[in-house]
Amino acid sequence: MGVPPWMAEPGRAIERWLEAERDQLITWLPVGLGGGIALWFVLPDPAAWGTAILVLVAGGLAGLAAGRGGRAARMLAIGAIAAALGIGLIWVRSDRVAAPVLAGPTFVQLSARVETIEPLVARRLVRLTVRPVGPGQDADGAPVALPGRVRINLAEADAPEALAIGATIKLRARLMPPPLPAVPGAYDFARVAWFSGIGATGRGFSPVEVTMPGAAALGSGWRCRGISSRNSTGAQAGSQRRWRPATSARSATRMRRRCAAPGWRISCR
């Protein structure tokens, strides 16, 4: 049974286009890989990932077998195999960065080594990424197993003067697992934390004790950067209100009227 004429003509047109663009077809390979990676994020569990890989590989092999020299079937087959490869690559990457995640919210006393310090100037906070040194202790003194990397927010007033990258600190914190999206489609911090190796996040409380100083001094650390950020923000806000010379007599008159109005801190000559 032959192919109907109304189907054969579009097929021949696609083949002619693919033949004309044969030098550019290789650029579609990253699209197939990216499609497989996106599919991995959509599918719910490893069973679905494995099923998708099997279906894509089977479809690709079938397309290669049934291609009969045509480029369209080979293109679809290679795209399916590339998508299966994308799923496999992101699956392997996910397993390689997998780290323990805190089971539930808890108050804990912990010692940890500071990896990064990020001043949050607008919120008056300092965000620390730390690696716990040994297990923590709950309020009853019982040991608490902690993830390998934790993100903790500190109030600026609670941050000690000797805080620096590489320092070992001791503090009390309320920790919880990385939160899931509040609504479907919202920002998924739990996914970001998974690929960053962060197994818990929370808030630290004073007193924060530096038990071993780091290599960097505070004078070149987070507090100076935070002050510089505030100063630069204020300078930008002030520059927006700076008076510029008027280009005409009418513009100069309007500017003088504005100078007379309360709240305008600009000098008029």
Side-chain angles (χ1 to χ4, degrees):
M1 184 176 180
V3 179
W6 63 273
M7 292 181 62
E9 184 57 33
R12 286 193 290 268
I14 292 174
E15 289 292 341
R16 287 195 297 269
W17 177 75
L18 291 175
E19 178 65 24
E21 298 292 333
R22 60 185 180 275
D23 293 335
Q24 308 298 325
L25 297 181
I26 190 64
T27 60
W28 286 92
L29 190 60
V31 177
L33 285 171
I37 293 172
L39 186 60
W40 182 89
F41 282 105
V42 172
L43 297 176
D45 50 40
W49 305 336
T51 301
I53 290 176
L54 292 176
V55 171
L56 288 170
V57 170
L61 294 177
L64 290 175
R68 297 181 180 179
R71 291 185 182 274
R74 292 202 301 271
M75 273 285 297
L76 293 176
I78 294 173
I81 294 175
L85 182 59
I87 295 176
L89 289 175
I90 190 63
W91 193 349
V92 171
R93 172 64 177 167
S94 173
D95 288 341
R96 288 185 61 185
V97 301
V101 178
L102 194 67
T106 182
F107 279 92
V108 62
Q109 183 86 20
L110 73 152
S111 294
R113 184 175 181 273
V114 179
E115 282 193 339
T116 63
I117 303 175
E118 179 185 357
L120 304 179
V121 179
R123 298 169 58 187
R124 302 282 182 173
L125 295 174
V126 180
R127 176 169 292 166
L128 306 178
T129 302
V130 301
R131 283 192 175 275
V133 179
Q137 291 183 343
D138 61 13
D140 299 327
V144 177
L146 296 175
R149 182 175 291 160
V150 178
R151 197 181 77 172
I152 298 175
N153 290 337
L154 282 177
E156 282 187 354
D158 295 338
E161 292 296 322
L163 182 63
I165 294 176
T168 301
I169 60 175
K170 184 178 181 181
L171 75 162
R172 186 171 59 93
R174 183 184 186 274
L175 300 180
M176 60 183 296
L180 296 171
V183 295
Y187 176 68
D188 192 352
F189 175 70
R191 177 186 297 170
V192 175
W194 175 272
F195 284 99
S196 301
I198 297 174
T201 182
R203 181 68 179 263
F205 304 98
S206 61
V208 180
E209 178 185 357
V210 177
T211 58
M212 183 180 298
L218 183 64
S220 59
W222 64 271
R223 194 181 297 274
C224 289
R225 290 198 300 270
I227 293 173
S228 299
S229 298
R230 290 198 192 95
N231 291 339
S232 62
T233 303
Q236 291 174 2
S239 64
Q240 293 176 359
R241 304 176 70 176
R242 188 177 301 164
W243 180 75
R244 296 179 179 177
T247 57
S248 65
R250 182 176 299 177
S251 299
T253 302
R254 285 200 299 266
M255 288 303 299
R256 290 192 184 95
R257 290 175 181 174
R258 289 180 178 178
C259 290
W264 282 81
R265 299 182 178 179
I266 51 180
S267 60
C268 298
R269 298 179 181 177

